[in-house]
Amino acid sequence: MIPELGHFALLLAFCLSGTIAWYGLAGAHIGRRSWMLGTINMVFAQTLLVAAAFAALAWGFVTDDFSIAYVANNSNSLLPAPYKLSAIWGAHEGSFLLWVLIMCLWMSAVALRCHALPLGMHARVLGVLGLLNLGFLAFLLFTSNPFDRLIPLTPLDGSDLNPLLQDFGLIVHPPVLYAGYVGFSVAFAFAVAALIGGNVDSAWARWSRTWTNVAWAFLTVGIALGSWWAYYELGWGGWWFWDPVENASFMPWLAGTALIHSLAATEKRGTFKNWTLLLALLAFSLSLIGAFIVRSGVLTSVHAFAVDPLRGMFILAFLGVVVGGSLTLYAIRASAIDSPVRYTIVSRETALLVNNLLLVVAMAMVLLGTLYPLAYEALSGGDKISIGPPWFNRFFVPLMLGLGAFLGLAPLLNWKRTGLATLLGSIKWMFPTALALGLGLPLLLRGELSSGVVIAVFGGVWIIGGHLLDLPKRLKPGIARVPLAYWGMWCAHVGFAVTLMGVALTHDLSAEKDLRMVPGQSVTLEGVVFTFERTRQVAGPNYIADEGRFEVLEGNRRYALNPQKRIYRASGSRMTEAAIDAGFLRDIYVSLGEPLEDGAWAVRVHVKPFVRWIWFGALLMGF
């Protein structure tokens, strides 16, 4: 009975979404105040209905109700309780229910802020969000119903959750990532509402900017969590592989990064209005493209949902309506919007414009590299090609280094114009300091120069140096007088510098060995001695594992690492669980592969300097 109530709640929410769209858009068009105010209560009711449906599905997992097909396919009576809850979004149907729930929460947040907006704008924004959610709920109900029953052929037990997903990463990564994905729908709705109303000004940018910043922060942290999860869970020590599903979240992040900078220029100076609107449409459109890539079945990935083509066609049609409709509206309305603001070439506006261009070109390059193999396979009748990390790095790295060069200058530039002599006087010590540290750090760490490390450290110090030079000027009136927006910019840019250095240092200085080892054997890597002592069998709540014990000698410090090779009872799947000694300056990483003859094991050992800087920098950006 509870699953049917959950399904019925989704049907009611679907009807309410259509009503919200009509009352919001039509009410604003004809100026009917009661209709516009009515959308607010409808949004809250819709959120309660979707939350009830989500709770109904959660109840099915907690009570092991294997008559629900989704529960039977993604749970098991032996599955630990925390993973039963996270299994709700462990596959397609439940994860999309989470998507819709987060969409409703964003709509409720916008509804709660009704006093901060003119009523007409507020109603249009809620109306556009209602239209979007109408499409999402239609997709959920008609192609991806999580409450389908297996009656009368109810299995005695479930199939089990994918062992890769039985991890803390599944608990935190998808909700945070979706909060970012879906959050860009608010920026999209503000842009569409502004185009309909014909009112694009500094106030509009100020209203939109807060929501966009929050969505961008969630997406930044969500991507970082996914990278960290892949690093420790997949057992190969990598943190990014330019996988199409990784790219699906990275493309809206790049567009969103350009958007938050463009919104700043529109709010402060009233410039880049058309460009800002286009970026708002683009950021959410790329989120929908990411959903198509992940959920259409056009690719198979560790973290994609390979589903039937009907769902892919639905998403593609929805994508065509949303993207095509919004771009058509933009084409009709944008010509009436002007930005008559003048500025010189040495100014903050110019830096923001270059920043935007670099980010959009990087996004286009990632989009091309992601979609081209899929298009080639479709047009060639099944032939496959692969575009891997070398291709992406060849184009992406120079663009990010160029971005870093402008980030170092950004806080030193004034709006409208900056004296060239003043700028050169401010940075006269930045270049030699950054160059000295860029050359000195590789020599200190390795005793040899590495071009990648030199360039990345130079870039990181250049960015941080520019912000440190600007700090005394900002603090002069008193720390309480410094706006939070400035600290946000400061943290985000310094976080980017930290991530930039972490990526390069990890890439160039990491060392690894793939070995055949027997108990009692030792190996040395980068001065760290690994001794394979023994293996033993251990049992977990729903698996058995061969657990290795490695004694590690690092300088004067001695400790043990215990990687595992697990077999999950329900599915028989084998999984590698790496053992990591984490540190701010380096990680020591050991993973146990397959058993070999004569008691030997395949073993992989890593020394990964500064890998934590990648995620620390991303957390700074999100903060």
Side-chain angles (χ1 to χ4, degrees):
M1 183 64 182
I2 289 179
E4 283 68 36
L5 289 174
H7 189 204
F8 185 61
L10 289 179
L11 286 169
L12 290 178
F14 172 76
C15 296
L16 268 179
S17 288
T19 310
I20 291 166
W22 171 254
Y23 272 62
L25 294 172
H29 181 68
I30 64 177
R32 184 165 293 186
R33 184 178 177 82
S34 60
W35 284 18
M36 292 187 280
L37 290 174
T39 58
I40 297 171
N41 290 330
M42 292 182 209
V43 166
F44 296 146
Q46 175 192 243
T47 302
L48 288 175
L49 287 168
V50 174
F54 191 85
L57 186 60
W59 180 256
F61 276 93
V62 170
T63 59
D64 292 331
D65 185 355
F66 299 120
S67 69
I68 304 172
Y70 183 73
V71 176
N73 292 331
N74 296 282
S75 188
N76 186 274
S77 57
L78 295 176
L79 192 66
Y83 302 146
K84 284 186 178 180
L85 288 175
S86 61
I88 298 168
W89 52 83
H92 168 70
E93 291 87 348
S95 72
F96 206 79
L97 178 58
L98 175 66
W99 177 294
V100 172
L101 176 62
I102 291 172
M103 180 72 178
C104 290
L105 293 173
W106 274 105
M107 292 178 68
S108 294
V110 175
L112 284 170
R113 299 291 295 172
C114 58
H115 61 277
L117 296 171
L119 186 57
M121 168 65 79
H122 187 250
R124 285 192 183 97
V125 170
L126 290 180
V128 174
L129 291 172
L131 270 180
L132 292 173
N133 213 28
L134 184 70
F136 294 150
L137 281 161
F139 178 68
L140 187 66
L141 284 166
F142 304 131
T143 74
S144 311
N145 183 11
F147 297 108
D148 284 342
R149 291 279 202 171
L150 292 174
I151 294 176
L153 302 175
T154 301
L156 295 176
D157 209 345
S159 300
D160 204 12
L161 180 66
N162 185 339
L164 279 172
L165 304 180
Q166 296 182 34
D167 186 83
F168 175 76
L170 180 66
I171 298 174
V172 295
H173 168 57
V176 175
L177 188 72
Y178 288 2
Y181 261 151
V182 179
F184 281 131
S185 66
V186 180
F188 176 90
F190 267 96
V192 172
L195 287 167
I196 292 173
N199 185 22
V200 181
D201 55 15
S202 296
W204 166 81
R206 184 170 63 254
W207 300 327
S208 181
R209 190 179 175 193
T210 301
W211 302 100
T212 307
N213 284 351
V214 174
W216 183 87
F218 273 119
L219 187 59
T220 302
V221 175
I223 291 171
L225 287 171
S227 166
W228 167 69
W229 182 16
Y231 166 74
Y232 75 79
E233 178 65 16
L234 297 183
W236 60 284
W239 57 273
W240 192 264
F241 199 64
W242 292 108
D243 180 278
V245 182
E246 292 174 333
N247 296 347
S249 60
F250 195 42
M251 290 184 293
W253 184 88
L254 290 167
T257 306
L259 174 60
I260 62 175
H261 289 87
S262 191
L263 276 168
T266 302
E267 179 187 351
K268 300 292 184 185
R269 294 280 293 141
T271 190
F272 304 156
K273 291 179 184 177
N274 285 336
W275 182 239
T276 303
L277 286 167
L278 184 60
L279 286 172
L281 302 179
L282 186 62
F284 183 62
S285 298
L286 287 166
S287 295
L288 293 181
I289 290 173
F292 171 74
I293 290 172
V294 173
R295 298 173 186 278
S296 64
V298 299
L299 59 89
T300 302
S301 169
V302 169
H303 38 304
F305 300 109
V307 296
D308 64 75
L310 175 63
R311 294 171 181 170
M313 291 302 297
F314 189 106
I315 296 175
L316 195 59
F318 183 64
L319 187 64
V321 170
V322 172
V323 178
S326 61
L327 290 179
T328 301
L329 179 63
Y330 177 81
I332 295 170
R333 294 282 197 169
S335 59
I337 300 168
D338 60 345
S339 303
V341 178
R342 297 185 180 277
Y343 51 89
T344 66
I345 194 168
V346 184
S347 64
R348 184 168 293 189
E349 289 93 334
T350 300
L352 287 171
L353 180 60
V354 174
N355 159 293
N356 273 219
L357 291 173
L358 289 171
L359 286 166
V360 170
V361 170
M363 179 277 298
M365 182 274 300
V366 177
L367 181 65
L368 175 65
T370 303
L371 296 185
Y372 181 74
L374 305 179
Y376 181 85
E377 181 180 353
L379 295 174
S380 66
D383 293 341
K384 294 180 182 289
I385 61 169
S386 176
I387 294 180
W391 187 90
F392 285 103
N393 292 338
R394 184 180 303 117
F395 294 99
F396 190 78
V397 171
L399 290 169
M400 290 302 101
L401 292 175
L403 183 65
F406 279 91
L407 283 184
L409 297 175
L412 305 174
L413 295 169
N414 299 321
W415 294 108
K416 197 171 183 180
R417 68 171 60 87
T418 305
L420 185 58
T422 303
L423 179 63
L424 293 176
S426 299
I427 65 173
K428 64 182 178 182
W429 295 110
M430 279 174 56
F431 185 85
T433 302
L435 184 60
L437 288 173
L439 293 171
L441 189 60
L443 291 173
L444 181 66
L445 294 173
R446 277 288 181 91
E448 60 184 32
L449 290 177
S450 165
S451 59
V453 174
V454 170
I455 294 171
V457 174
F458 173 86
V461 175
W462 172 264
I463 295 169
I464 295 170
H467 289 72
L468 290 176
L469 281 174
D470 185 56
L471 202 54
K473 181 177 70 176
R474 297 284 184 168
L475 294 175
K476 198 171 184 179
I479 192 169
R481 302 282 296 276
V482 181
L484 282 175
Y486 176 78
W487 293 118
M489 179 270 291
W490 209 92
C491 282
H493 290 177
V494 170
F496 178 83
V498 171
T499 294
L500 178 70
M501 290 189 288
V503 168
L505 291 168
T506 299
H507 181 271
D508 279 31
L509 302 181
S510 290
E512 66 177 79
K513 283 185 178 180
D514 290 311
L515 305 158
R516 177 187 185 278
M517 296 186 74
V518 295
Q521 184 177 349
S522 296
V523 63
T524 301
L525 181 65
E526 296 295 307
V528 181
V529 181
F530 300 83
T531 302
F532 183 18
E533 292 191 340
R534 64 173 185 272
T535 59
R536 61 169 186 158
Q537 281 213 332
V538 297
N542 62 336
Y543 64 84
I544 56 173
D546 290 303
E547 182 179 87
R549 178 180 171 85
F550 289 78
E551 185 180 82
V552 182
L553 179 61
E554 184 181 7
N556 295 322
R557 182 170 172 246
R558 191 182 298 269
Y559 53 93
L561 292 175
N562 301 291
Q564 293 182 346
K565 194 70 176 181
R566 295 178 179 177
I567 300 178
Y568 285 81
R569 293 192 182 102
S571 62
S573 300
R574 296 177 65 83
M575 277 291 301
T576 296
E577 288 291 321
I580 305 171
D581 185 72
F584 188 67
L585 297 179
R586 61 88 189 106
D587 275 13
I588 305 299
Y589 186 113
V590 181
S591 59
L592 201 61
E594 298 297 326
L596 306 174
E597 68 282 355
D598 301 326
W601 284 81
V603 174
R604 176 177 287 177
V605 295
H606 299 260
V607 177
K608 304 191 77 65
F610 302 100
V611 68
R612 301 277 152 176
W613 287 31
I614 298 168
W615 307 306
F616 176 65
L619 292 178
L620 271 180
M621 285 189 263
F623 178 74

